[in-house]
Amino acid sequence: SPARELTQNPLQKTWEPYDNGLPAGHSAQRGVCMTNCPTLIVMVGLPARGKTYISKKLTRYLNWIGVPTKEFNVGQYRRDLVKKYKSFEFFLPDNEEGLKIRRQCALAALNDVRQYLSEENGHVAVFDATNTTRERRETIYKFGEENGYKTFFVESVCVDPEVIAANIVQVKLGSPDYVDCSNDEATEDFMKRIECYKNSYETLDETLDKDLSYIKIMDVGRSYLVNRVMDHIQSRIVYYLMNIHVTPRSIYLCRHGESELNLKGRIGGDPGLSVRGKEFAKSLAQFINEQNIKDLKVWTSQMKRTIQTAEALGVPYEQWKVLNEIDAGVCEEMTYEEIQENYPLEFALRDQDKYRYRYPKGESYEDLVQRLEPVIMELERQENVLVICHQAVMRCLLAYFLDKPAEQLPYLKCPLHTVLKLTPVAYG
Amino acid sequence: KVDAERKKTFVLKMPMELTQSRIQKIWLPNDNRPALPRRSCGPQLANSPTVIVMVGLPARGKTYISKKLTRYLNWIGVPTKVFNVGEYRREAVKHYSSYDFFRPDNEEAMKVRKQCAMAALRDVKLYLTEEAGQIAVFDATNTTRERRGMILNFAKENGFKVFFIESVCNDPTVVATNVMEVKLSSPDYRDCNSTDAMEDFMKRINCYQASYQPLDPDDYDRELSLIKVIDVGRRFLVNRVQDHIQSRIVYYLMNIHVQPRTIYLCRHGESEFNLMGKIGGDSGLSNRGKKFALALSKFVEEQNLKDLKVWTSQLKRTIQTAEALQLPYEQWKALNEIDAGVCEEMTYEEIREQHPEEFALRDQDKYYYRYPSGESYQDLVQRLEPVIMELERQENVLVICHQAVMRCLLAYFLDKSADEMPYLKCPLHTVLKLTPVAYGCRVESISLNIEAVNTHRERPEEAKKGPNPLMRRNSVTPLASPEPTKKPRINSFEEHVAVSSALPGCVPQEVPTQMPGQ
């Protein structure tokens, strides 16, 4: 049979086969479709071991790289069912009533997982609960098998009392459970809560659990045990988990100073700084000095305007080509008026779906995210960093840190001569 | 305080004048200030040099991992070299007699073996401190705490970081397979038959068993940076990853596998632009290109593969080629041809006319040369790294791509340097079939006998050989894994095989050069 005709999708500029005028199968876009069957990530660990922290962060990362992911926190289901939390006694292992409710909540959450993965086009579900017994994990694993999901366990093991105390202060004291308690009362109750789980805790075992796919994170990332990684997405998850850390630090994002082309209302190109842009660079130097940042790394793109800006700081900086501004292809160095005049269809399409819209012979925001992923990974590894970049690039990075979805990303406000200072706090 | 003073001075002076380097198109300050350490292309991958120390009984894949990892690191631009103590031993002891050499009570031999380890470490130091090496892979059993302690002291004295890679495997089938793959053909056993060799080698392994102290990250070795690879990658234990490069190494090791499989590389069928001599663009297939696509379909069918994945770029010509296969395929933007920037859709004559300086610069240094508003081979390597990583994860894959892209991928598999990469021969209508074998890659070149234009440009006579050493610094510069300091006298792996379905009048066979470095 003759080869099918290819047509270029006007929005994304991708070539797709058509069969009798209808888009045909047989072709997938790498980068978005990374999973074949859905994946169920199951958190494991005593309370205050960072399970929810990891769940939320991992979910944010996976969504940003284009893998539809959602977390299901069983504690949240419990709070919705049991309107008022009284005390740790709810979690006593012999509290029949409590056990019944908790089991109900787990099942309700799993039901929602099933709906998300099988009916709502979710790719990954993160099941955030203690899941500390083998029995509970077997139930979940069977659930996964029945529904055709791959199951991947993420266990956080930590015995350092300082870390646990810090976790409690960071995220437990402010929990809805303890809204009417003093800090001391809350801490005392929470410690007793943890005790309730200890006796029945069965850590993932080298022999008993040898056929499961999992990562065991020990002491907040000092060491890891990785067992039977099954596919690409699990491999990416492991890599991500091994690169994140919890050391306090700040990330500064800003654009280059105003450029000559900015002044003329033209997009793209590789112009130098305007007079005001140079003033900004000087101010930025002063600002950085005043911030008194320990071991600040400075990153720029390979475009003149970011490098000129960095030069004013008088400190070493690294140039990353992947931080270059979005490539506007045939529209490079045009004004928006000129684009509207010369490429009215393109102009309209961009407003229709700004995230997926790819400039002819250029890039889309979606492309940007893919090329920026190594930057995000390295930002996770680093501590204090100043990234001097560009509008579209900054929007992508910001969307990652602030968990903004694709629809909002291209409209995030990133004005010139403004620095965004990001500091990790609690779960965000 | 000195830094603060320097900072203040700079804030006051501030010309911010930059010049763009002619070949790489990198913006650099054009006054001759004492150079602030400046990285040109991407993250600084490592600060202090690193010694990677392999650990494990014989036939556990240490040399396999050493060579493969070294090839990967060199390709992504981190100068890396393997130091295989066994090779030093073969130089020192001209003739291997039997496993008796390795008996723990053989004092004479123990002395020699320790000397060889020391000699290798001396060369490690030379490589890392005087030869611009970044990573040295110390390939030996290193099965005792005493030996590892000695290496740690050596590293500490010299300011090197240390990262241990231990391979643990107790599956007798795996061990036996390893022995057959790479030990029976070792120079040590060139005068033995397979059975005798196997028997001797198993006794050799036994010599190490009693004194083997595996890495113990829970207790004795809890401060060390290490990865334990268990049962050929079923399981990993990772402890104290210190920096970016160690993180990349761990990720790489966790993605490689040893399942037999084949990788097929080819370009799209001849395109309309190929016919016109135009580079780049997004044209469709010519008639001959369509014929090739059909021939490729037939070829793939004849290969009778289990679960073949097919990857294309997002340019029309590769997709059209894949369409003829009538198999599912995945489009990767990362596989798009090198962006020729302002030279897109021009012929070489037009480029020579309209951009004579650019034309000359490219011939001067084709690997680093970046087209104005376009890309360089160096940029390509960076963008192709996720493709390589996924190729390592996969099994049978056919990659339908483009000339420059294919050269980059091929350079990775065949361990070619930056200097050679832009001149590797990747003609149209020819499939390269890559099969992992022993420590490297067997390559077969298969022409499908459909005529096409020749798009290959040879390295011009007057172009200098070798990248400018000044430009190599801090940049993504694939190097071929360097020759080991002590060469084995007999190759321990197969030569490449060129296969063609030769018919009169077909395109001349252009066979890419040979095997990976030793």
Side-chain angles (χ1 to χ4, degrees), chain A residues 238-258:
Chain A
V238 164
Y239 185 43
Y240 182 73
L241 292 177
M242 288 178 44
N243 281 318
I244 61 181
H245 67 78
V246 293
T247 313
R249 48 81 170 253
S250 289
I251 294 169
Y252 299 81
L253 302 180
C254 71
R255 291 166 66 185
H256 53 83
E258 183 190 68

Side-chain angles (χ1 to χ4, degrees), chain A residues 62-129:
Chain A
L62 290 172
N63 278 312
W64 186 75
I65 61 172
V67 181
T69 306
K70 190 170 172 185
E71 27 141 8
F72 299 82
N73 178 288
V74 175
Q76 198 48 54
Y77 283 74
R78 187 261 305 156
R79 273 184 281 275
D80 290 341
L81 197 59
V82 182
K83 296 302 172 191
K84 178 103 178 76
Y85 172 77
K86 296 209 195 80
S87 82
F88 75 95
E89 285 171 357
F90 179 83
F91 292 95
L92 282 170
D94 54 2
N95 179 346
E96 293 284 342
E97 185 63 31
L99 284 172
K100 211 175 94 178
I101 292 172
R102 289 156 71 194
R103 200 180 153 77
Q104 219 180 316
C105 291
L107 288 174
L110 281 180
N111 200 35
D112 287 348
V113 162
R114 195 191 42 75
Q115 187 166 341
Y116 178 66
L117 294 181
S118 303
E119 294 169 35
E120 293 173 13
N121 290 319
H123 283 207
V124 178
V126 184
F127 188 69
D128 179 18

Side-chain angles (χ1 to χ4, degrees), chain A residues 343-358:
Chain A
Y343 300 99
L345 177 62
E346 295 297 327
F347 192 80
L349 281 170
R350 189 158 203 250
D351 281 340
Q352 229 174 66
D353 192 339
K354 200 171 173 189
Y355 181 75
R356 272 166 212 89
Y357 171 81
R358 185 185 280 169

